Amino acid sequence: IFAGGFDLVLLDVMLPGLDGFAVMERVASQGTPVIFLSAMQQVADKVRGLHLGAEDYIAKPFRARELVSRLRAVLRRRGPKQVYSFGDLTLDARSAQVTVNGVPVALTAQEYRLLLLLTSQAGRVWERGQLLQALWDDGGAFVEDNTLTVTVKRLREKLEGASEQWSLKTVWGVGYKFEVKE
């Protein structure tokens, strides 16, 4: 259900169609932390949500400060995301390993750092200047303008033939983004 790129999901129990518990059963194996936020206040409902794998269950009404504190606590416990999966592409930040259809892809340090940055915030448009600052130790001050373009081109070549579920997009006049297709 989740295409990736989510740090946390707030899920209501009372949804049209599938209820939140049914959604949770489908997404529990994906590793995205879930907090239930529901008007259903019975102990049995709370226990069911937690038993299904939710990190927390907050009954309505609630205070915004409490919600924010609980969100921060869950994200703090989880730490930074370590594995990014988008269809056939997997990037494991623990081992700096990138695979396409389970086959390792050899990337340079700059290509890997670029892919990690783009996938860690899928959908975000990164300006060229932001990428230069993030990827080069000197903030890109001594990097030729074409260097980033070449790095993106080589990364695309190495990932060529990968799935239609995602792509490295050029946003003309601005920069680049990692796009997940629905």
Side-chain angles (χ1 to χ4, degrees):
I1 291 178
F2 303 140
F6 293 100
D7 293 322
L8 185 137
V9 173
L10 280 177
L11 183 60
D12 198 337
V13 174
M14 295 183 286
L15 299 172
L18 289 178
D19 71 11
F21 294 131
V23 172
M24 183 66 194
E25 288 173 346
R26 291 184 177 190
V27 303
S29 66
Q30 294 182 10
T32 303
V34 173
I35 295 178
F36 277 107
L37 190 63
S38 179
M40 296 177 66
Q41 299 181 15
Q42 299 298 316
V43 172
D45 295 319
K46 294 176 183 180
V47 169
R48 182 176 179 196
L50 295 169
H51 184 261
L52 288 171
E55 295 284 331
D56 203 346
Y57 190 110
I58 303 170
K60 296 177 186 176
F62 59 90
R63 300 247 183 221
R65 286 178 36 188
E66 178 186 4
L67 174 61
V68 170
S69 292
R70 288 176 184 242
L71 291 170
R72 286 184 177 149
V74 168
L75 293 173
R76 193 172 44 247
R77 283 193 307 266
R78 302 284 293 197
K81 192 168 180 180
Q82 298 294 310
V83 178
Y84 300 91
S85 293
F86 304 94
D88 57 357
L89 174 71
T90 301
L91 189 147
D92 187 336
R94 297 169 299 198
S95 63
Q97 178 84 32
V98 175
T99 60
V100 174
N101 288 320
V103 178
V105 178
L107 300 177
T108 66
Q110 290 304 90
E111 292 164 349
Y112 171 77
R113 289 173 62 192
L114 174 62
L115 185 62
L116 178 61
L117 189 63
L118 293 173
T119 57
S120 69
Q121 295 187 42
R124 174 185 172 181
V125 177
W126 289 83
E127 295 178 10
R128 293 180 61 82
Q130 292 173 318
L131 291 170
L132 289 169
Q133 285 183 348
L135 297 173
W136 279 271
D137 293 332
D138 61 5
F142 300 105
V143 176
E144 291 185 36
D145 188 51
N146 193 37
T147 303
L148 179 59
T149 305
V150 171
T151 303
V152 171
K153 180 181 183 274
R154 289 184 179 156
L155 180 58
R156 284 180 175 145
E157 288 170 354
K158 291 179 179 183
L159 299 175
E160 188 175 355
S163 132
E164 297 296 319
Q165 296 174 333
W166 56 267
S167 64
L168 292 175
K169 288 278 195 191
T170 300
V171 180
W172 294 106
V174 180
Y176 300 95
K177 72 176 179 175
F178 183 84
E179 182 176 82
V180 179
K181 299 175 183 175
E182 296 293 326

